[in-house]
Amino acid sequence: MRRRRLFLKTFLFLLAAIALALVLGGWYLNEKVLPEKVKPKIISELKKATSKEVTLGRIYLSHRGLVLKDLVFYKDADTPFIEIPDAAITVNPATLMAKKDLYFSITLTAGRDCAARIYSYGFYNLKEKSLNAVITTRDVECVTILKYLEKELPFSINGGRFNLTLKVTLDKDKNLLAGANIYLKNTEITKEDLKVSGSAKVNFYTVKYRG
């Protein structure tokens, strides 16, 4: 009986110690490591990749994964181009053991005043630094995103349904292959005096070789 009590007390003590360590570790990551070390690195890499000025409000870990708040890309020093109030990134390290591939999923909200979401998932190979990803939006959200970017587009889209699925492959030589499936239903597209409405399915592919 005494052994059982001793074992139970020891088990509960170890469980409490592990829980406390996780809480303290999470606090240290969110308060020190992520904002002071990871955040500047993310901003620097995004600036290099986009050639745009980039700001990032907060970065922290939660049950949703790695969360980025108030990520903004600027057209110039004072003009926001794309605003992403919220982005959540999750990874599954278990896939590294089999293929050296890191599985990820990303959910982000585009636009300051809208609830338009973009979803992405795929694999990133750490050895070859290659990427296979799928990016998709839902009906109303896709229209909302296009409306948000309307000032940058040569046309505008109103009403209807609009689905987009984009498949992207970046190989080890940094060659980019992309294919998309676009589905429009009862959608109106306008440009100056031109107005087209109806339904359609469109597939396209593009390849961009480095150098």
Side-chain angles (χ1 to χ4, degrees), residues 38-162:
V38 178
K39 178 181 172 181
K41 182 68 174 177
I42 289 176
I43 293 174
S44 175
E45 291 299 320
L46 288 175
K47 284 182 177 180
K48 290 179 184 178
T50 62
S51 299
K52 300 285 186 183
E53 187 64 29
V54 179
T55 59
L56 175 59
R58 290 183 61 204
I59 177 172
Y60 60 91
L61 284 173
S62 77
H63 65 281
R64 298 169 56 209
L66 182 65
V67 179
L68 282 65
K69 286 288 189 180
D70 297 320
L71 177 63
V72 183
F73 298 84
Y74 291 84
K75 184 188 298 185
D76 53 50
D78 302 315
T79 308
F81 173 47
I82 296 176
E83 297 176 81
I84 302 175
D86 181 89
I89 305 168
T90 59
V91 298
N92 182 1
T95 55
L96 286 172
M97 300 176 64
K99 300 180 180 179
K100 303 296 183 183
D101 286 343
L102 184 67
Y103 176 82
F104 67 88
S105 64
I106 302 172
T107 301
L108 63 86
T109 303
R112 178 63 56 187
D113 301 320
C114 69
R117 294 197 173 192
I118 299 175
Y119 306 90
S120 177
Y121 62 89
F123 291 92
Y124 181 76
N125 188 285
L126 297 177
K127 184 178 180 180
E128 297 182 351
K129 296 185 177 179
S130 58
L131 173 72
N132 283 283
V134 175
I135 303 168
T136 183
T137 63
R138 295 176 177 172
D139 294 329
V140 177
E141 294 172 338
C142 191
V143 174
T144 306
I145 293 165
L146 290 173
K147 279 182 171 293
Y148 171 66
L149 296 173
E150 193 171 289
K151 58 183 179 295
E152 303 297 331
L153 298 172
F155 56 84
S156 61
I157 294 180
N158 303 296
R161 298 178 61 187
F162 191 117

Side-chain angles (χ1 to χ4, degrees), residues 193-209:
D193 296 331
L194 176 66
K195 182 180 291 186
V196 179
S197 61
S199 303
K201 289 184 179 180
V202 181
N203 299 324
F204 75 86
Y205 300 91
T206 183
V207 179
K208 183 178 181 181
Y209 294 102

